[in-house]
Amino acid sequence: ASPAWSRAVESAARIFGTEGDWARTYRPSGRPWRAGERVRLAALGTTLRTLAAEGPDAAYSGSLAQRAAAYLDQSGSPIRLDDLRSHRSDWSEPISTDYRGVTSLSHQPNSCGPIALELLNILRTFEPPARGAFTSRGVTDARWVHLGLEASRVTLAHRDAFLSDPDAMQPGVLEWLLDDSHARDVALAIDPDRAARPTATSLPRGGGTIYLATADRWGGLVSLIESNYAGFGSGLVDPETGIAYQNRGAFFRLDSGHVNALAPRKRTVHTLTPGMLLRDGRAWIAHGSMGGEIQPQVFAQFVSSMVDGGVDLATAVSAPRWAADVERHLGPPELTILEPRFVPEVAEGLEARGHRVSFADPFDSGMGHAHAVEIVHPPQEGGTAPTFAAATDPRSEGLPAAI
């Protein structure tokens, strides 16, 4: 392991193993920790020190991998040591689209990046409302919200029908999803005055995700999403290592003829949709959100607020959101959910178009936790450092911080 790796992991080991104050984690008995009570996660601290000493390979081929295989075997999992040793991570190029002169980036499949970019492409075919319609109370134009909801329902159906491990997808599908003529065809099928009947979704709802954006003094940006899924993942925590095991891979079909069917060595689709914006070819904003089904929808609303509305970063992150969501497991995304901070005319305009509107809480956690870092002034030749703006979602317990 490099010295930098070892120092970083050793620092985390001290925090988790001996110095952590965790006010909202839970004891095995179910009683919440009291604010200020010290929690010592000794097993996890030892595991982090193992990683600091042996390097990251310990997790997939070394001592931690051997322990993981033994624990998962006795817990009923089919994962074995050979599975861990044969795991590979791929470096891939981001996919992108142009949204009114700004380059929007996200991940390739098996993420939902293509769906977020497809949604932007569809919205780009319509004339946006005037900049004054983008406010701290959200978009005041019911037509724009209606178009976003209708486009979201179409793209969710495309996600279910076409996305999976890129090696399993039909050739040309990714290019078709991001094609301008395809976006125009979808847009022409959307009635600006009436909500259409949505297609049923074939996948379960997502959850259990965090988002983080960060930047360095040289103007580098990172947009990162991590997910244990199902709130607490699989619910399995190895008492010897303190490792909690995720079940993020649960987004699959058991229909062998479906593109997203479960198969060995296959990475089935997931909802994680990190984003980044470039302006004039230079990094501008790292952004993203947790939120399962609605991640691409939050993605598009944020980009539209920044580009169409020209609002500041904090307003784009905190403004009320809309979402096309499912009412029941595997049902159609027929719900239209609004945070009640929208002006009343938005809900009235949607109901007049046939939407069945329901209201979330004013700052509802279920509407996503979006965060963003903006390079306000990029670094200049001669060593001038960049300046930044950062915003964290008031729906979450995040924190914008400069270190």
Side-chain angles (χ1 to χ4, degrees):
S2 69
W5 164 273
S6 297
R7 286 195 300 272
V9 181
E10 180 64 32
S11 176
R14 288 197 302 274
I15 294 171
F16 283 106
T18 61
E19 299 172 7
D21 290 331
W22 301 88
R24 296 197 178 186
T25 53
Y26 287 82
R27 294 180 183 276
S29 65
R31 180 181 73 76
W33 297 102
R34 294 185 298 273
E37 186 174 356
R38 176 160 291 181
V39 179
R40 186 169 185 269
L41 305 178
L44 188 58
T46 299
T47 292
L48 290 169
R49 287 194 170 92
T50 299
L51 284 168
E54 298 181 16
D57 288 345
Y60 285 94
S61 58
S63 60
L64 293 177
Q66 295 173 26
R67 170 57 199 174
Y71 173 73
L72 291 172
D73 183 20
Q74 70 188 29
S75 300
S77 169
I79 295 174
R80 299 292 181 265
L81 183 58
D82 285 345
D83 297 313
L84 297 172
R85 286 175 171 168
S86 63
H87 168 79
R88 74 178 197 280
S89 295
D90 296 329
W91 289 98
S92 61
E93 292 295 320
I95 55 176
S96 67
T97 195
D98 178 273
Y99 189 75
R100 309 192 205 280
V102 171
T103 302
S104 180
L105 303 173
S106 193
H107 264 310
Q108 294 192 26
N110 54 329
S111 85
C112 281
I115 301 308
L117 301 186
E118 181 191 20
L119 179 51
L120 285 177
N121 284 346
I122 297 168
L123 290 176
R124 191 186 63 208
T125 68
F126 297 103
E127 186 67 25
R131 286 202 162 195
F134 294 85
T135 73
S136 60
R137 297 192 65 183
V139 182
T140 59
D141 185 343
R143 167 188 164 273
W144 190 243
V145 177
H146 164 75
L147 293 173
L149 287 161
E150 293 297 282
S152 294
R153 291 183 172 110
V154 173
T155 58
L156 284 173
H158 290 165
R159 178 201 70 179
D160 292 357
F162 300 114
L163 288 194
S164 186
D165 188 313
D167 292 338
M169 290 169 56
Q170 297 177 23
V173 164
L174 177 59
E175 292 76 11
W176 173 75
L177 288 171
L178 300 180
D179 185 69
D180 289 344
S181 62
H182 162 70
R184 288 191 294 270
D185 290 342
V186 173
L188 286 171
I190 294 176
D191 187 337
D193 299 314
R194 198 69 189 167
R197 186 173 182 84
T199 303
T201 181
S202 63
L203 294 176
R205 304 182 71 182
T209 304
I210 66 95
Y211 175 77
L212 178 146
T214 190
D216 63 28
R217 58 179 172 155
W218 299 282
L221 291 176
V222 173
S223 184
L224 181 145
I225 295 182
E226 187 277 336
S227 181
N228 272 11
Y229 192 56
F232 192 55
S234 66
L236 295 176
V237 180
D238 184 352
E240 184 173 309
T241 62
I243 294 174
Y245 288 91
Q246 48 87 8
N247 60 349
R248 179 68 262 182
F251 258 46
F252 58 80
R253 292 278 295 272
L254 293 178
D255 175 1
S256 61
H258 194 277
V259 65
N260 201 43
L262 184 65
R265 304 287 189 266
K266 185 176 182 179
R267 296 166 176 167
T268 51
V269 72
H270 59 72
T271 61
L272 312 186
T273 314
M276 191 172 291
L277 298 176
L278 310 183
R279 196 164 51 181
D280 299 324
R282 302 184 72 169
W284 175 29
I285 297 173
H287 69 97
S289 172
M290 53 74 77
E293 310 287 332
I294 69 170
Q295 283 188 47
Q297 301 177 62
V298 175
F299 186 113
Q301 289 173 74
F302 174 84
V303 173
S304 178
S305 292
M306 295 298 301
V307 179
D308 296 324
V311 302
D312 63 88
L313 201 68
T315 298
V317 166
S318 64
R321 297 186 185 128
W322 48 261
D325 206 354
V326 299
E327 184 173 24
R328 63 187 186 277
H329 199 57
L330 303 183
E334 59 191 358
L335 282 183
T336 290
I337 302 177
L338 295 180
E339 289 182 304
R341 295 179 291 127
F342 280 99
V343 296
E345 290 78 9
V346 170
E348 293 166 3
L350 292 174
E351 288 172 342
R353 289 172 169 84
H355 291 267
R356 186 159 59 91
V357 177
S358 61
F359 291 96
D361 292 331
F363 290 93
D364 197 299
S365 178
M367 300 297 278
H369 297 171
H371 311 292
V373 173
E374 176 185 12
I375 299 177
V376 179
H377 298 291
Q380 302 296 319
E381 292 184 13
T384 303
T387 58
F388 302 98
T392 190
D393 202 315
R395 300 165 184 84
S396 71
E397 297 175 343
L399 174 70
I403 301 173

